[in-house]
Amino acid sequence: MSSRVRIEVPEDSGFGPTHLPYCVFRPRGGEPRVGARLGDSIIDLAVALDDPMFAQPSLNAFMTQGPQCWREVRELVHAAAETELPAAAVHSVRAVQLDLPVEIGDYVDFYASLDHATAMGRMLRPDGEPLLPNWKHLPVGYHGRAGTVVVSGTAITRPHGQLRTASGAPEFGPTRRLDIEAELGFLVGSGSPLGTPLRTGDFAEHIFGVALVNDWSARDIQGWEAQPLGPFLGKSFATTLSAWVTPLDALAAARIPLPAQDPAPLPYLQDSAPWSLDIDLGVEWNGQIVSTPPFRRMYWSPAQMLAHMTVNGASTRTGDLFASGTISGPERHERGSLMELTWAGTDPVDLNGDKRTFLEDGDEIAITASAPAVGGGRLTLGEVRGRITRQ
């Protein structure tokens, strides 16, 4: 008779039975498979639920099943977590390798924080209006590079590109202004066909869950190349995604009203009950917390981002990722990028006794977050971490 175990969860765990985030993990010497986290353990869903859909190298096969299946599986996992499980279905988080949880389809990055957009505008256009005329009428975004989305813990190679010199002519070399952007990502589970715009009210039928994102940015490469078409090589070299995907249902207690929008958005961006999420982030630079961005202040909602992304009839696919853009607040300690935090390098951060502006080789950034949990307490979103290396 096979042995069975019960997972013990510490009272202060951010990974309790009302959270149960998903991942793709590799047991020592084993193949990748889908798991759900409870406390400091991972439940192997292929074993616990006796379902080959979870013996897969990504969440995509599960995500494409749609919201009814997502809810049913979540209920099954919750029930299983309350019982003794086969020992073969339980693994320590510390004893496995975590892979990129989703096979990414398309990647879109938005620019949805009023505080971030205002700060960037003041730095880049000090003699003009900080916001461009379109900013309060639509969620500004750009189409990123899905193939360079990597899982948390992946080393980030310092990118090379064209850099403007004092003479105005470019030179080629490694970026000297390597930055981070603390963001929240949203993963499409159930896709939508070409020519069929999604409405704000369709969000829960299509979005599987959320995960933290670090949109690494080479500001000097970006500044030279971005006119007139926007981000390209300054962004496309790497985007880090957490290994843990939090289901939307786990964030039910974190839903809050969206801050007021003035002017009122066009009808396709309106929602019967506009909402946001009460999520607190933390940015850790070489072990020191340097910023605590609040998602609750975001101007554009995730549902508005999805509606705008598809209003022209663009299709969505299982595994598509869209991110919020830098999450920032009005205070210095709430800024979600080093560009803002150091005011374009003119106001250094005191980092463990050193005055620092942008990232140096060997630096490590970790982004964490927490939110109110269903039933009380707080849940912990899976961190996103990366260390800078040289080519």
Side-chain angles (χ1 to χ4, degrees):
M1 186 175 180
S2 62
S3 62
R4 301 181 72 85
V5 297
R6 182 182 292 273
I7 299 174
E8 300 295 332
V9 182
E11 287 189 10
D12 60 349
S13 174
F15 298 97
T18 63
H19 187 185
L20 300 174
Y22 296 107
C23 70
V24 170
F25 73 101
R26 295 173 187 257
R28 187 173 287 113
E31 295 297 315
R33 47 217 297 108
V34 174
R37 181 168 179 171
L38 180 62
D40 294 325
S41 298
I42 296 175
I43 302 171
D44 184 333
L45 298 186
V47 176
L49 303 184
D50 191 22
D51 190 335
M53 177 172 66
F54 300 107
Q56 302 284 339
S58 78
L59 285 163
N60 290 51
F62 171 36
M63 292 166 62
T64 196
Q65 300 301 313
Q68 182 175 341
C69 178
W70 306 339
R71 288 189 290 269
E72 290 173 353
V73 167
R74 183 165 166 78
E75 289 170 2
L76 289 172
V77 176
H78 188 272
E82 297 291 308
T83 67
E84 290 187 338
L85 291 160
V90 179
H91 301 263
S92 168
V93 170
R94 290 179 288 275
V96 303
Q97 174 184 319
L98 295 173
D99 288 353
L100 189 67
V102 176
E103 185 180 341
I104 304 296
D106 283 301
Y107 169 49
V108 171
D109 196 32
F110 283 97
Y111 188 49
S113 165
L114 177 61
D115 297 302
H116 173 65
T118 300
M120 293 296 287
R122 286 175 176 158
M123 281 183 278
L124 300 176
R125 296 180 296 278
D127 298 324
E129 289 294 322
L131 296 181
L132 294 175
N134 66 346
W135 198 91
K136 284 194 172 183
H137 293 276
L138 55 86
V140 174
Y142 72 93
H143 201 125
R145 187 175 182 84
T148 52
V149 177
V150 297
V151 71
S152 176
T154 302
I156 304 301
T157 302
R158 181 176 296 275
H160 286 59
Q162 290 195 25
L163 317 171
R164 174 183 271 173
T165 65
S167 69
E171 66 179 12
F172 182 81
T175 177
R176 294 187 286 268
R177 295 166 72 87
L178 186 54
D179 197 359
I180 60 109
E181 292 190 348
E183 307 191 14
L184 188 63
F186 302 87
L187 288 157
V188 173
S190 178
S192 54
L194 185 68
T196 306
L198 297 177
R199 301 164 298 178
T200 55
D202 295 329
F203 186 85
E205 297 298 306
H206 293 272
I207 301 304
F208 176 78
V210 308
L212 289 177
V213 167
N214 186 349
D215 183 36
W216 306 91
S217 302
R219 298 298 185 186
D220 40 10
I221 296 174
Q222 180 183 359
W224 172 244
E225 73 179 1
Q227 305 300 327
L229 292 182
F232 186 33
L233 301 184
K235 295 277 195 175
S236 64
F237 60 96
T239 300
T240 303
L241 179 71
S242 173
W244 303 97
V245 180
T246 294
L248 279 187
D249 285 350
L251 293 171
R255 284 179 66 123
I256 56 174
L258 186 70
Q261 294 179 321
D262 183 21
L266 292 174
Y268 79 93
L269 289 170
Q270 294 178 11
D271 203 332
S272 59
W275 58 275
S276 187
L277 293 166
D278 184 13
I279 297 178
D280 293 317
L281 284 76
V283 177
E284 186 180 291
W285 188 357
N286 291 348
Q288 178 179 322
I289 292 289
V290 295
S291 177
T292 53
F295 190 86
R296 71 185 69 87
R297 286 188 58 87
M298 299 297 278
Y299 187 88
W300 295 104
S301 76
Q304 290 173 320
M305 296 178 213
L306 180 63
H308 186 67
M309 190 169 71
T310 62
V311 72
N312 65 348
S315 59
T316 61
R317 296 178 294 175
T318 299
D320 283 0
L321 168 67
F322 67 92
S324 61
T326 304
I327 302 165
S328 291
E331 305 298 329
R332 188 189 187 197
H333 70 272
E334 296 174 322
R335 299 170 183 169
S337 71
L338 304 185
M339 183 75 169
E340 294 170 85
L341 196 61
T342 68
W343 209 251
T346 64
D347 186 12
V349 171
D350 187 336
L351 188 66
N352 300 317
D354 292 331
K355 299 297 183 182
R356 298 290 303 280
T357 53
F358 294 96
L359 296 175
E360 298 178 2
D361 295 346
D363 283 353
E364 184 175 55
I365 293 290
I367 302 171
T368 58
S370 68
V374 175
R378 296 187 72 79
L379 61 81
T380 301
L381 276 70
E383 72 171 16
V384 61
R385 181 181 294 269
R387 186 182 296 275
I388 307 305
T389 62
R390 175 75 70 156
Q391 281 185 356

